[in-house]
Amino acid sequence: MANVQMEWKSEENGSGRDLVTVEHLVKYFPVRGGVLQRVQAWVQAVDDVTFSIKAGETLGMVGESGCGKTTVGRTLLRLIPATAGNVYFEDQEVFAANDRELKILRRHMQIIFQDPYSSLDPRMPVGESIAEGLLIHGMRDRHQRHEIVIETLRKVGLEEYHARRYPHEFSGGQRQRIGIARALALRPKFIVCDEPVSALDVSIQSQVLNILKELQREFDLTYLFIAHNLSVVEHISDRVAVMYLGKMVELADRDELYRNPLHPYTQALMSAIPIPDPTIKRERIILKGDVPSPLRPPSGCRFHPRCPVALAHCAKQEPDFKEVSQGHWVACWRVE
């Protein structure tokens, strides 16, 4: 018990090293049918995704609904089993960890869910929900758990009396703060933020984002920040990864990506960002058609049926994910 408290006060991440490394991650979901419920097809939710996150940085991950962003986050935490690939946390292979090793890893790898209400037990006061992880990981002292719960609630802008209330007594923004507090209670090193502000009002979004940034500075946290809103991602991220139909199509430093997007899909996303100046007009790139089904993804480059600059070669062979300049990766035949 003393060790848990000591780590809460003193444990710090390093900097400049890879904290999380994802190698060729694949996740297919089976589609079953018939009387015997046999597998008839596979939904290719994530297909050969590779990236790393340095200690202390925020990697933003963007893309349309259904592109596999949330699946990447949940799979690398082993909340859902991977089909193939490897994930390393501080050089420890996550997918090869046994139950005891995985329990230790859980202390250092947490998640903030998109919907804070459905992720909280409506029958349990929020203080108990936050303390549950501490109890599971060996902190038997009730007074010690209570102190950490109150300290964590105050870190996210709530007060001690809030610990005795139930989830339905809070607003959406307050519930998301509780979700952040629950993820922070075990003093993790890495947090997957799964669209933590998408369900909130714009004014509340800024408050939650500022809380996340303050906590990152104070505790040297590392984030995988999953979102749709490109303006939010630009505000909070150090690097940004763009996904399309289960594939990563571009990865670069935030400033480089927003200044010089290379993939046609990224360019189309950037053209949709509103400019807070009515005198400035941005040329919109309107993509034709809809996102293809992950049950039957297109051959070659998965974006080619909607790409405004596609070549004949794009439909035949998939482009490699290559580094075209320092830290700027892209998968596009046009760029090559």
Side-chain angles (χ1 to χ4, degrees):
M1 290 180 288
N3 289 338
V4 176
Q5 188 177 35
M6 179 186 68
E7 290 177 0
W8 167 264
K9 297 295 183 184
S10 64
E11 189 175 286
E12 294 183 357
N13 289 341
S15 59
R17 59 185 173 81
D18 289 341
L19 183 72
V20 178
T21 303
V22 178
E23 296 180 347
H24 307 291
L25 183 64
V26 177
K27 176 58 185 176
Y28 290 176
F29 292 98
V31 177
R32 301 180 182 274
V35 177
L36 299 178
Q37 288 295 295
R38 291 175 175 167
V39 176
Q40 297 184 336
W42 295 91
V43 176
Q44 300 179 28
V46 177
D47 194 2
D48 196 18
V49 169
T50 297
F51 62 92
S52 62
I53 310 176
K54 294 187 180 301
E57 83 162 340
T58 299
L59 176 66
M61 185 169 284
V62 299
E64 293 172 283
S65 295
C67 70
K69 307 184 299 298
T70 294
T71 303
V72 168
R74 297 193 178 199
T75 304
L76 68 86
L77 292 178
R78 266 183 70 173
L79 295 180
I80 53 177
T83 303
N86 293 302
V87 173
Y88 297 90
F89 179 81
E90 293 187 322
D91 299 324
Q92 181 176 358
E93 190 172 350
V94 176
F95 294 164
N98 58 34
D99 291 345
R100 183 182 63 82
E101 294 168 337
L102 184 60
K103 184 177 180 180
I104 295 172
L105 281 171
R106 294 270 190 240
R107 284 195 52 210
H108 303 298
M109 304 171 71
Q110 291 290 310
I111 185 170
I112 301 169
F113 293 99
Q114 178 179 1
D115 183 358
Y117 189 69
S118 64
S119 64
L120 293 170
D121 189 338
R123 300 164 298 178
M124 185 182 291
V126 299
E128 292 185 20
S129 292
I130 296 170
E132 192 173 24
L134 297 169
L135 179 62
I136 290 171
H137 286 273
M139 186 176 289
R140 303 298 177 187
D141 189 322
R142 182 187 295 271
H143 179 70
Q144 190 178 358
R145 292 199 308 270
H146 178 74
E147 284 186 344
I148 291 180
V149 168
I150 300 310
E151 180 184 358
T152 308
L153 283 172
R154 286 175 175 157
K155 292 289 184 186
V156 299
L158 298 175
E159 297 298 333
E160 179 176 354
Y161 64 86
H162 287 125
R164 299 186 293 273
R165 293 186 176 180
Y166 290 83
H168 72 272
E169 299 180 76
F170 294 92
S171 67
Q174 288 176 319
R175 285 198 290 263
Q176 195 57 280
R177 290 170 190 245
I178 294 164
I180 295 171
R182 185 173 58 177
L184 185 67
L186 285 167
R187 186 66 168 90
K189 298 179 181 180
F190 173 62
I191 299 178
V192 173
C193 305
D194 184 12
E195 303 193 39
V197 298
S198 63
L200 306 179
D201 293 338
V202 174
S203 59
I204 306 301
Q205 286 184 11
S206 62
Q207 295 175 18
V208 172
L209 291 173
N210 289 335
I211 287 172
L212 289 172
K213 295 192 76 166
E214 289 169 7
L215 293 173
Q216 184 174 39
R217 285 192 294 267
E218 183 173 354
F219 296 112
D220 199 18
L221 294 170
T222 303
Y223 293 145
L224 173 62
F225 191 90
I226 298 166
H228 287 100
N229 192 320
L230 290 165
S231 298
V232 168
V233 170
E234 183 180 16
H235 174 70
I236 198 170
S237 302
D238 299 302
R239 290 186 300 144
V240 179
V242 182
M243 288 195 64
Y244 181 81
L245 203 61
K247 291 280 189 179
M248 190 173 289
V249 297
E250 192 161 1
L251 172 66
D253 288 341
R254 174 194 60 195
D255 295 338
E256 168 68 13
L257 188 77
Y258 280 76
R259 182 180 64 251
N260 182 34
L262 297 178
H263 196 280
Y265 178 62
T266 310
Q267 293 169 358
L269 291 179
M270 296 299 177
S271 74
I273 301 176
I275 301 175
D277 187 341
T279 64
I280 299 176
K281 299 293 184 181
R282 173 179 280 159
E283 183 179 353
R284 283 292 310 275
I285 301 174
I286 307 297
L287 299 177
K288 58 185 180 182
D290 297 320
V291 180
S293 170
L295 279 169
R296 291 174 295 277
S299 61
C301 174
R302 295 190 176 186
F303 184 60
H304 85 265
R306 305 176 69 198
C307 182
V309 293
L311 304 169
H313 187 61
C314 297
K316 300 176 183 177
Q317 187 173 349
E318 182 179 342
D320 293 329
F321 193 59
K322 291 185 177 181
E323 188 174 23
V324 296
S325 63
Q326 181 65 36
H328 197 151
W329 296 74
V330 65
C332 181
W333 289 116
R334 276 283 187 181
V335 176
E336 294 184 15

